[in-house]
Amino acid sequence: MPSQEIGVPIPNIPHAVSVTLPTWAATVGYEEGEEWVTSKMNSGYPRFFIHTTIKQLCKKIQDKYGREGEECLVFPSYKVAKRCREFIKKRSGGKIRVLQLSTAEPVTEAEKSTKVGTSVGVTFFPKSDFPLAKSYWQHSGEGISSRMGEYINKELFTAHRSVTKSELQAEKIQSRSPSIIASRSSNSGSNDDVEKEFNTFIEQKFGRVLDLKFAKEAKRALRRRICGKVDVSRNQIEEIEKSKRGKYLSESDVYLFPSGMASIFCAHHALLNLTPGKSVCFGFPYVDTLNILRKFGPGVHFLGLGDDESLEKLEKDLEGGGLSIMALFCECPSNPLLKTPNLKKIKELGDKYGFAIVVDETVGNFFNIRVLPYADMVASSLTKVFSGDSNVLAGSLVLNPLSKFYPKLKRFFDTEYEDLLWCEDALWLERNSRDFVERVHRIDRTSEKVVDLLSACPKISQVYYPKTSPTRHYYDEIKNQDGGYGGLISILFHDSKDAIKFFDAVDLHKGPSLGTNFTLACPYAILAHYQELDEIQEWGVDRNLIRISIGLEEDEDLLNRLEVALN
């Protein structure tokens, strides 16, 4: 059952992506830094809340290599740590330095299953600059994962010996044993030992022991899986037939990242290195997409409404010569208002005026919609429905081989791209995503039933959903034959008091993220835009908006829970 206790991870495992904020007041208290909430927050969304394991690693590195008055953050490569250094230096006069640390390579065949040679970059900065470093961590999405932090901590600071093949096999057998469950109620050993043992069982249930030597194969499987789904309707792509190039999307055009935000950050970084200039953010996006466009590079033109009138204005500005842009970034559909942009018209403008188009299709997901023909790059957060289990952060970026920017982008990625997706995270993601298509089908069907229920409630003034949106015709133009309308729904009550009552009463998981295998709700504007509630109203996002991400619960059970809360 969904926990109603502040700060409990969702799901309640060591590497969970979401965290419980069970009431409207708790969400406000979190945003305002009130102790009755913050004192209970032992976990959180990884880009916003630095995992305890990573904090411990940073503390040990600081104690060993740091200087007086410094703090540090650990990144998955030296190049990323240098990017963080440059970000801080542009905004502060403090002295910033970078250190590279490496772990040992496996020596024996047996060690290859549990050991991998890797390097991290450590950015040291004055304590007063921590907010800037944390800002880079959040916006870029390039921080290390909690699993990587756990591994680096063990390799650098914990004395250990090599694991033999027989010991590894014994560990696999033990991890499948139901007796580990019973250890929870055992009186032997400390509570910490019991909890650690149980967490190990959960993370390795059904024999899902992570064998690190298969990480490369897992990543290839992920790229092929993404490639197949993105290109599901390739025979319908008119541009391919016209070109007669015979060049279709391949797995080499799919790049993996440590978060969805990192894929957007890298797309922007690549374009700045090829054709520097301002970008357009079309439509009201997820908060850090706009932060990336604002804080890295020369700036952004924000067309927050993302409607036909905004597109007409953009076209006039481009025609008049008063506006020249590097790229246009948009979501399809947008989060949280579920608007679908006119991608066909955007592509026409891109072709005519020579700017790149980057589409984030996380909310729609690449099984439901086909955006590649209208984009030069397609970004996606694999943390969401592709994974579903809410226990791993990852992202992907797909290059369109038919794009006029493709040759330059491909050369850039061939020389500059770093594979920063931690091997254990890749292994988890590959396993999580095997039933991606089946889950999407089920979530799509349930979501339409939920929309029907919510639309019939007289206390609700508006239901935001791609199928019921005024922009549905644009969604239908890009919807795959077997696709649906996704699992994200936003609602607005006539009375703000009713919104609070409903949210507090509804028996669902409540916290950040979306696309989880369990239904997840949050007061979105409060959680994502608390410091700018008046500003976002201008773009049609009400401060009392509630967002619900539909999961895999039985229809009858989920509808009943919602109905009880509405009543």
Side-chain angles (χ1 to χ4, degrees):
M1 299 297 289
S3 173
Q4 301 301 314
E5 184 179 343
I6 292 171
V8 171
I10 314 174
N12 196 3
I13 57 173
H15 302 289
V17 166
S18 190
V19 63
T20 304
L21 289 167
T23 63
W24 201 282
T27 309
V28 172
Y30 171 73
E31 293 296 331
E32 294 191 346
E34 295 181 9
E35 188 179 359
W36 69 276
V37 179
T38 57
S39 63
K40 300 172 184 175
M41 298 294 291
N42 295 315
S43 66
Y45 195 80
R47 285 191 305 100
F48 292 83
F49 186 98
I50 298 177
H51 195 278
T52 303
T53 298
I54 299 172
K55 289 179 181 177
Q56 292 170 351
L57 174 62
C58 291
K59 177 68 166 58
K60 290 178 180 179
I61 292 176
Q62 177 61 42
D63 289 345
K64 187 169 182 177
Y65 301 103
R67 299 168 183 169
E68 188 175 349
E70 283 185 332
E71 286 192 40
C72 70
L73 279 179
V74 184
F75 293 94
S77 81
Y78 187 71
K79 285 171 69 174
V80 175
K82 288 199 297 182
R83 283 199 285 270
C84 178
R85 179 179 65 188
E86 293 308 307
F87 180 82
I88 298 172
K89 282 176 67 176
K90 285 182 179 179
R91 295 158 176 82
S92 169
K95 186 175 181 180
I96 320 296
R97 60 192 185 92
V98 175
L99 174 71
Q100 180 169 284
L101 298 172
S102 300
T103 66
E105 296 282 349
V107 177
T108 66
E109 194 64 30
E111 278 189 342
K112 290 180 181 178
S113 293
T114 60
K115 198 167 185 174
V116 60
T118 189
S119 296
V120 294
V122 186
T123 307
F124 292 88
F125 43 82
K127 289 183 179 180
S128 59
D129 285 336
F130 178 79
L132 286 172
K134 176 70 162 34
S135 180
Y136 182 87
W137 178 284
Q138 174 188 323
H139 300 332
S140 73
E142 291 190 312
I144 63 169
S145 74
S146 53
R147 287 188 183 90
M148 187 177 189
E150 199 171 66
Y151 180 84
I152 299 295
N153 190 24
K154 180 190 71 173
E155 289 294 307
L156 294 183
F157 297 104
T158 304
H160 60 282
R161 61 181 178 82
S162 298
V163 180
T164 67
K165 189 173 183 179
S166 60
E167 287 174 326
L168 182 66
Q169 186 61 30
E171 181 185 346
K172 289 185 179 182
I173 294 170
Q174 182 191 32
S175 70
R176 298 187 182 110
S177 172
S179 65
I180 296 180
I181 302 178
S183 71
R184 295 184 77 196
S185 56
S186 170
N187 292 323
S188 61
S190 69
N191 288 335
D192 287 344
D193 289 339
V194 171
E195 187 63 24
K196 186 175 181 181
E197 192 174 36
F198 178 67
N199 287 337
T200 299
F201 170 76
I202 291 296
E203 289 270 309
Q204 298 180 343
K205 65 181 179 178
F206 309 126
R208 290 166 71 166
V209 178
L210 301 181
D211 192 327
L212 300 188
K213 70 173 178 284
F214 295 124
K216 287 184 179 179
E217 287 83 352
K219 289 182 180 182
R220 186 182 182 202
L222 287 167
R223 290 194 299 270
R224 290 173 67 88
R225 195 168 294 159
I226 292 165
C227 173
K229 294 301 176 289
V230 171
D231 207 26
V232 68
S233 300
R234 67 186 186 190
N235 292 327
Q236 301 172 20
I237 300 177
E238 191 176 344
E239 288 80 3
I240 286 180
E241 294 178 357
K242 284 181 180 178
S243 71
K244 304 296 182 185
R245 288 167 59 188
K247 184 169 183 180
Y248 299 110
L249 185 66
S250 74
E251 64 188 74
S252 64
D253 296 319
V254 179
Y255 297 87
L256 301 175
F257 293 88
S259 70
M261 217 66 246
S263 67
I264 295 172
F265 179 79
C266 188
H268 185 243
H269 177 66
L271 290 169
L272 282 175
N273 277 272
L274 298 179
T275 54
K278 284 190 175 184
S279 293
V280 163
C281 182
F282 189 76
F284 188 85
Y286 176 71
V287 58
D288 278 319
T289 297
L290 191 55
N291 279 327
I292 287 171
L293 301 181
R294 279 176 170 166
K295 297 185 180 184
F296 299 86
V300 62
H301 302 284
F302 183 33
L303 303 179
L305 292 176
D307 54 11
D308 289 342
E309 289 74 15
S310 300
L311 205 52
E312 288 172 8
K313 182 181 185 307
L314 175 62
E315 184 173 18
K316 287 179 181 177
D317 290 342
L318 291 167
E319 280 178 353
L323 180 65
S324 176
I325 60 173
M326 170 186 80
L328 181 146
F329 288 73
C330 66
E331 296 176 347
C332 190
S334 64
N335 176 18
L337 297 181
L338 289 309
K339 291 181 179 179
T340 304
N342 183 351
L343 289 184
K344 287 187 175 181
K345 180 64 176 179
I346 288 172
K347 186 178 188 307
E348 284 178 17
L349 295 179
D351 289 342
K352 185 175 181 180
Y353 295 102
F355 60 82
I357 299 165
V358 182
V359 180
D360 177 358
E361 44 79 289
T362 299
V363 173
N365 81 67
F366 48 74
F367 180 77
N368 282 331
I369 57 176
R370 184 183 76 259
V371 303
L372 187 64
Y374 312 103
D376 300 288
M377 290 185 275
V378 176
S380 187
S381 173
L382 306 179
T383 309
K384 308 307 191 296
V385 71
F386 185 77
S387 169
D389 277 346
S390 189
N391 63 358
V392 61
L393 228 61
S396 66
L397 188 66
V398 178
L399 305 186
N400 184 349
L402 296 177
S403 162
K404 63 189 171 204
F405 295 99
Y406 180 80
K408 289 184 178 180
L409 286 170
K410 193 65 176 172
R411 282 196 297 272
F412 177 86
F413 277 86
D414 285 345
T415 56
E416 297 296 326
Y417 169 74
E418 290 186 290
D419 180 357
L420 301 177
L421 180 60
W422 178 237
C423 54
E424 290 175 275
D425 294 320
L427 288 162
W428 272 105
L429 184 63
E430 191 280 321
R431 289 180 168 102
N432 291 352
S433 61
R434 289 176 187 175
D435 61 349
F436 164 66
V437 173
E438 292 80 0
R439 287 186 287 107
V440 169
H441 272 311
R442 183 169 170 182
I443 288 170
D444 288 347
R445 290 193 298 266
T446 302
S447 297
E448 294 202 30
K449 295 178 183 179
V450 170
V451 167
D452 289 342
L453 172 68
L454 296 172
S455 299
C457 177
K459 288 185 176 293
I460 293 177
S461 61
Q462 192 161 355
V463 177
Y464 302 87
Y465 189 61
K467 187 176 181 180
T468 60
S469 170
T471 61
R472 174 180 172 172
H473 57 294
Y474 293 137
Y475 189 99
D476 286 343
E477 285 178 351
I478 58 173
K479 187 166 77 73
N480 287 320
Q481 186 174 354
D482 297 328
Y485 293 91
L488 200 64
I489 305 164
S490 295
I491 57 174
L492 193 61
F493 285 82
H494 289 287
D495 190 332
S496 61
K497 293 179 182 177
D498 286 337
I500 297 171
K501 286 180 183 178
F502 169 81
F503 183 78
D504 290 352
V506 70
D507 186 21
L508 298 173
H509 291 285
K510 302 172 193 176
S513 199
L514 59 92
T516 49
N517 289 339
F518 44 84
T519 299
L520 185 63
C522 71
Y524 181 79
I526 299 293
L527 189 61
H529 297 279
Y530 189 71
Q531 304 301 325
E532 50 196 13
L533 291 173
D534 291 334
E535 179 185 336
I536 66 172
Q537 186 79 41
E538 179 184 349
W539 309 114
V541 183
D542 192 280
R543 66 182 61 214
N544 297 305
L545 182 137
I546 294 172
R547 192 188 70 182
I548 304 173
S549 174
I550 303 302
L552 299 177
E553 296 89 350
E554 293 295 330
D555 293 357
E556 187 177 345
D557 175 52
L558 178 57
L559 293 170
N560 181 62
R561 291 185 189 210
L562 292 167
E563 201 159 12
V564 167
L566 288 171
N567 289 337

